[in-house]
Amino acid sequence: AQKVTQAQTEISVVEKEDVTLDCVYETRDTTYYLFWYKQPPSGELVFLIRRNSFDEQNEISGRYSWNFQKSTSSFNFTITASQVVDSAVYFCALSEGGFQKLVFGTGTRLLVSP
Amino acid sequence: EAQVTQNPRYLITVTGKKLTVTCSQNMNHEYMSWYRQDPGLGLRQIYYSMNVEVTDKGDVPEGYKVSRKEKRNFPLILESPSPNQTSLYFCASSSSGTDSYEQYFGPGTRLTVT
């Protein structure tokens, strides 16, 4: 069975601090996809990144970076020099190969104060 | 503009009064899903559809019905809503092409059942 664990319920940081959001997943498939979504206070879900199980390269997009480690079944998300606009709930999700279903973690609420 | 639309965005209703939440996508996607989001639980899949006239249960289907008579539409029906169905609902769609594991989400429908 697939499962995604986001152990951090809420994180508070001060602007310009770096912050890492943890994501640990469980799956029996060798082919799967991992995602991160952002949910700002307005409520919509904003797609951030998709990573397939065969690509372990880390990725950087501006202030955002992702560290995918199959050995520890983790797909962590780091925001560098956080900003108030980064305040949101962040969800990690998993999709196994061939299934049109996302299994979500419970989310991490990030609060960035000025 | 590629998008998934949901209506209504907000709905307050009473126990037992049948309601329908509509979902429509303009991307010609085969796959469509409904999720509900509850505090501390993340998002959970209610129903999904692989194509017209093909639907199946997700993780939390009790109390819900769906239909897929047209490719673009995937309404969620609550025939006798109860207070435990108070939640934030998201419709999502994805294609069977190379990006099939990215789901496009609608803006959400906040439902309150009193």
Side-chain angles (χ1 to χ4, degrees), chain B residues 16-32:
Chain B
K17 185 175 181 182
K18 181 179 178 179
L19 66 92
T20 299
V21 183
T22 64
C23 172
S24 183
Q25 50 93 4
N26 63 1
M27 295 167 279
N28 201 37
H29 285 167
E30 291 81 11
Y31 302 106
M32 296 186 75

PDB file of all heavy atoms in Angstrom, chain B residues 16-32:
ATOM      1  N   GLY B  16     -29.588  16.098   4.461  1.00  0.00           N
ATOM      2  CA  GLY B  16     -30.598  15.396   3.685  1.00  0.00           C
ATOM      3  C   GLY B  16     -31.011  16.046   2.380  1.00  0.00           C
ATOM      4  O   GLY B  16     -31.722  15.429   1.585  1.00  0.00           O
ATOM      5  N   LYS B  17     -30.596  17.248   2.115  1.00  0.00           N
ATOM      6  CA  LYS B  17     -31.000  17.940   0.888  1.00  0.00           C
ATOM      7  C   LYS B  17     -29.995  17.644  -0.220  1.00  0.00           C
ATOM      8  O   LYS B  17     -28.856  18.116  -0.199  1.00  0.00           O
ATOM      9  CB  LYS B  17     -31.098  19.432   1.127  1.00  0.00           C
ATOM     10  CG  LYS B  17     -31.630  20.205  -0.054  1.00  0.00           C
ATOM     11  CD  LYS B  17     -31.814  21.671   0.273  1.00  0.00           C
ATOM     12  CE  LYS B  17     -32.368  22.431  -0.918  1.00  0.00           C
ATOM     13  NZ  LYS B  17     -32.503  23.878  -0.639  1.00  0.00           N
ATOM     14  N   LYS B  18     -30.452  16.915  -1.223  1.00  0.00           N
ATOM     15  CA  LYS B  18     -29.577  16.475  -2.302  1.00  0.00           C
ATOM     16  C   LYS B  18     -28.880  17.655  -2.973  1.00  0.00           C
ATOM     17  O   LYS B  18     -29.478  18.715  -3.196  1.00  0.00           O
ATOM     18  CB  LYS B  18     -30.392  15.712  -3.351  1.00  0.00           C
ATOM     19  CG  LYS B  18     -29.570  15.183  -4.521  1.00  0.00           C
ATOM     20  CD  LYS B  18     -30.448  14.414  -5.495  1.00  0.00           C
ATOM     21  CE  LYS B  18     -29.632  13.916  -6.686  1.00  0.00           C
ATOM     22  NZ  LYS B  18     -30.464  13.139  -7.641  1.00  0.00           N
ATOM     23  N   LEU B  19     -27.607  17.453  -3.300  1.00  0.00           N
ATOM     24  CA  LEU B  19     -26.871  18.500  -3.992  1.00  0.00           C
ATOM     25  C   LEU B  19     -25.891  17.891  -4.996  1.00  0.00           C
ATOM     26  O   LEU B  19     -25.488  16.732  -4.869  1.00  0.00           O
ATOM     27  CB  LEU B  19     -26.130  19.396  -2.995  1.00  0.00           C
ATOM     28  CG  LEU B  19     -24.997  18.765  -2.194  1.00  0.00           C
ATOM     29  CD1 LEU B  19     -23.657  18.947  -2.915  1.00  0.00           C
ATOM     30  CD2 LEU B  19     -24.914  19.368  -0.797  1.00  0.00           C
ATOM     31  N   THR B  20     -25.527  18.697  -5.963  1.00  0.00           N
ATOM     32  CA  THR B  20     -24.549  18.300  -6.981  1.00  0.00           C
ATOM     33  C   THR B  20     -23.491  19.373  -7.097  1.00  0.00           C
ATOM     34  O   THR B  20     -23.811  20.560  -7.186  1.00  0.00           O
ATOM     35  CB  THR B  20     -25.228  18.098  -8.348  1.00  0.00           C
ATOM     36  OG1 THR B  20     -26.199  17.061  -8.248  1.00  0.00           O
ATOM     37  CG2 THR B  20     -24.194  17.722  -9.410  1.00  0.00           C
ATOM     38  N   VAL B  21     -22.249  18.946  -7.094  1.00  0.00           N
ATOM     39  CA  VAL B  21     -21.132  19.844  -7.363  1.00  0.00           C
ATOM     40  C   VAL B  21     -20.614  19.506  -8.759  1.00  0.00           C
ATOM     41  O   VAL B  21     -20.272  18.349  -9.031  1.00  0.00           O
ATOM     42  CB  VAL B  21     -20.004  19.681  -6.328  1.00  0.00           C
ATOM     43  CG1 VAL B  21     -18.898  20.687  -6.596  1.00  0.00           C
ATOM     44  CG2 VAL B  21     -20.546  19.841  -4.910  1.00  0.00           C
ATOM     45  N   THR B  22     -20.599  20.487  -9.623  1.00  0.00           N
ATOM     46  CA  THR B  22     -20.183  20.221 -10.998  1.00  0.00           C
ATOM     47  C   THR B  22     -18.678  20.412 -11.152  1.00  0.00           C
ATOM     48  O   THR B  22     -18.043  21.187 -10.433  1.00  0.00           O
ATOM     49  CB  THR B  22     -20.907  21.132 -11.987  1.00  0.00           C
ATOM     50  OG1 THR B  22     -20.534  22.488 -11.736  1.00  0.00           O
ATOM     51  CG2 THR B  22     -22.412  20.986 -11.853  1.00  0.00           C
ATOM     52  N   CYS B  23     -18.115  19.676 -12.104  1.00  0.00           N
ATOM     53  CA  CYS B  23     -16.696  19.780 -12.437  1.00  0.00           C
ATOM     54  C   CYS B  23     -16.582  19.661 -13.950  1.00  0.00           C
ATOM     55  O   CYS B  23     -17.165  18.742 -14.555  1.00  0.00           O
ATOM     56  CB  CYS B  23     -15.890  18.684 -11.764  1.00  0.00           C
ATOM     57  SG  CYS B  23     -14.167  18.608 -12.317  1.00  0.00           S
ATOM     58  N   SER B  24     -15.817  20.557 -14.539  1.00  0.00           N
ATOM     59  CA  SER B  24     -15.633  20.532 -15.972  1.00  0.00           C
ATOM     60  C   SER B  24     -14.193  20.871 -16.313  1.00  0.00           C
ATOM     61  O   SER B  24     -13.593  21.741 -15.686  1.00  0.00           O
ATOM     62  CB  SER B  24     -16.574  21.537 -16.631  1.00  0.00           C
ATOM     63  OG  SER B  24     -16.472  21.482 -18.031  1.00  0.00           O
ATOM     64  N   GLN B  25     -13.637  20.153 -17.315  1.00  0.00           N
ATOM     65  CA  GLN B  25     -12.269  20.444 -17.758  1.00  0.00           C
ATOM     66  C   GLN B  25     -12.266  20.629 -19.269  1.00  0.00           C
ATOM     67  O   GLN B  25     -13.035  19.989 -19.982  1.00  0.00           O
ATOM     68  CB  GLN B  25     -11.301  19.331 -17.308  1.00  0.00           C
ATOM     69  CG  GLN B  25     -11.744  17.916 -17.636  1.00  0.00           C
ATOM     70  CD  GLN B  25     -11.225  17.356 -18.939  1.00  0.00           C
ATOM     71  OE1 GLN B  25     -10.438  17.987 -19.649  1.00  0.00           O
ATOM     72  NE2 GLN B  25     -11.659  16.134 -19.254  1.00  0.00           N
ATOM     73  N   ASN B  26     -11.369  21.494 -19.725  1.00  0.00           N
ATOM     74  CA  ASN B  26     -11.318  21.814 -21.160  1.00  0.00           C
ATOM     75  C   ASN B  26     -10.042  21.315 -21.819  1.00  0.00           C
ATOM     76  O   ASN B  26      -9.617  21.834 -22.854  1.00  0.00           O
ATOM     77  CB  ASN B  26     -11.476  23.322 -21.359  1.00  0.00           C
ATOM     78  CG  ASN B  26     -10.340  24.118 -20.729  1.00  0.00           C
ATOM     79  OD1 ASN B  26      -9.413  23.565 -20.151  1.00  0.00           O
ATOM     80  ND2 ASN B  26     -10.414  25.436 -20.833  1.00  0.00           N
ATOM     81  N   MET B  27      -9.413  20.293 -21.225  1.00  0.00           N
ATOM     82  CA  MET B  27      -8.145  19.793 -21.737  1.00  0.00           C
ATOM     83  C   MET B  27      -8.276  18.442 -22.431  1.00  0.00           C
ATOM     84  O   MET B  27      -7.271  17.809 -22.768  1.00  0.00           O
ATOM     85  CB  MET B  27      -7.143  19.698 -20.567  1.00  0.00           C
ATOM     86  CG  MET B  27      -6.805  21.051 -19.988  1.00  0.00           C
ATOM     87  SD  MET B  27      -5.945  20.951 -18.405  1.00  0.00           S
ATOM     88  CE  MET B  27      -7.308  20.697 -17.287  1.00  0.00           C
ATOM     89  N   ASN B  28      -9.500  17.955 -22.602  1.00  0.00           N
ATOM     90  CA  ASN B  28      -9.754  16.667 -23.230  1.00  0.00           C
ATOM     91  C   ASN B  28      -9.089  15.507 -22.469  1.00  0.00           C
ATOM     92  O   ASN B  28      -8.652  14.522 -23.063  1.00  0.00           O
ATOM     93  CB  ASN B  28      -9.273  16.657 -24.691  1.00  0.00           C
ATOM     94  CG  ASN B  28      -9.970  15.567 -25.512  1.00  0.00           C
ATOM     95  OD1 ASN B  28     -11.144  15.291 -25.318  1.00  0.00           O
ATOM     96  ND2 ASN B  28      -9.235  14.957 -26.420  1.00  0.00           N
ATOM     97  N   HIS B  29      -9.003  15.658 -21.151  1.00  0.00           N
ATOM     98  CA  HIS B  29      -8.381  14.627 -20.325  1.00  0.00           C
ATOM     99  C   HIS B  29      -9.303  13.427 -20.158  1.00  0.00           C
ATOM    100  O   HIS B  29     -10.513  13.570 -20.008  1.00  0.00           O
ATOM    101  CB  HIS B  29      -8.038  15.189 -18.949  1.00  0.00           C
ATOM    102  CG  HIS B  29      -6.847  16.069 -18.963  1.00  0.00           C
ATOM    103  ND1 HIS B  29      -6.517  16.889 -17.896  1.00  0.00           N
ATOM    104  CD2 HIS B  29      -5.877  16.262 -19.888  1.00  0.00           C
ATOM    105  CE1 HIS B  29      -5.407  17.535 -18.168  1.00  0.00           C
ATOM    106  NE2 HIS B  29      -4.997  17.177 -19.377  1.00  0.00           N
ATOM    107  N   GLU B  30      -8.683  12.235 -20.146  1.00  0.00           N
ATOM    108  CA  GLU B  30      -9.462  11.014 -19.927  1.00  0.00           C
ATOM    109  C   GLU B  30      -9.790  10.807 -18.453  1.00  0.00           C
ATOM    110  O   GLU B  30     -10.854  10.349 -18.092  1.00  0.00           O
ATOM    111  CB  GLU B  30      -8.680   9.785 -20.436  1.00  0.00           C
ATOM    112  CG  GLU B  30      -8.523   9.704 -21.948  1.00  0.00           C
ATOM    113  CD  GLU B  30      -7.394  10.582 -22.462  1.00  0.00           C
ATOM    114  OE1 GLU B  30      -6.603  11.099 -21.633  1.00  0.00           O
ATOM    115  OE2 GLU B  30      -7.312  10.774 -23.687  1.00  0.00           O
ATOM    116  N   TYR B  31      -8.824  11.125 -17.593  1.00  0.00           N
ATOM    117  CA  TYR B  31      -8.962  10.795 -16.190  1.00  0.00           C
ATOM    118  C   TYR B  31      -9.476  11.979 -15.394  1.00  0.00           C
ATOM    119  O   TYR B  31      -8.993  13.102 -15.541  1.00  0.00           O
ATOM    120  CB  TYR B  31      -7.625  10.356 -15.603  1.00  0.00           C
ATOM    121  CG  TYR B  31      -7.017   9.170 -16.303  1.00  0.00           C
ATOM    122  CD1 TYR B  31      -5.925   9.330 -17.152  1.00  0.00           C
ATOM    123  CD2 TYR B  31      -7.525   7.900 -16.133  1.00  0.00           C
ATOM    124  CE1 TYR B  31      -5.363   8.256 -17.808  1.00  0.00           C
ATOM    125  CE2 TYR B  31      -6.974   6.808 -16.774  1.00  0.00           C
ATOM    126  CZ  TYR B  31      -5.890   6.990 -17.616  1.00  0.00           C
ATOM    127  OH  TYR B  31      -5.342   5.924 -18.258  1.00  0.00           O
ATOM    128  N   MET B  32     -10.447  11.707 -14.518  1.00  0.00           N
ATOM    129  CA  MET B  32     -10.934  12.737 -13.618  1.00  0.00           C
ATOM    130  C   MET B  32     -11.162  12.121 -12.245  1.00  0.00           C
ATOM    131  O   MET B  32     -11.461  10.925 -12.122  1.00  0.00           O
ATOM    132  CB  MET B  32     -12.232  13.365 -14.147  1.00  0.00           C
ATOM    133  CG  MET B  32     -12.029  14.096 -15.481  1.00  0.00           C
ATOM    134  SD  MET B  32     -13.480  14.993 -16.055  1.00  0.00           S
ATOM    135  CE  MET B  32     -13.472  16.422 -14.953  1.00  0.00           C
TER     136      MET B  32
END
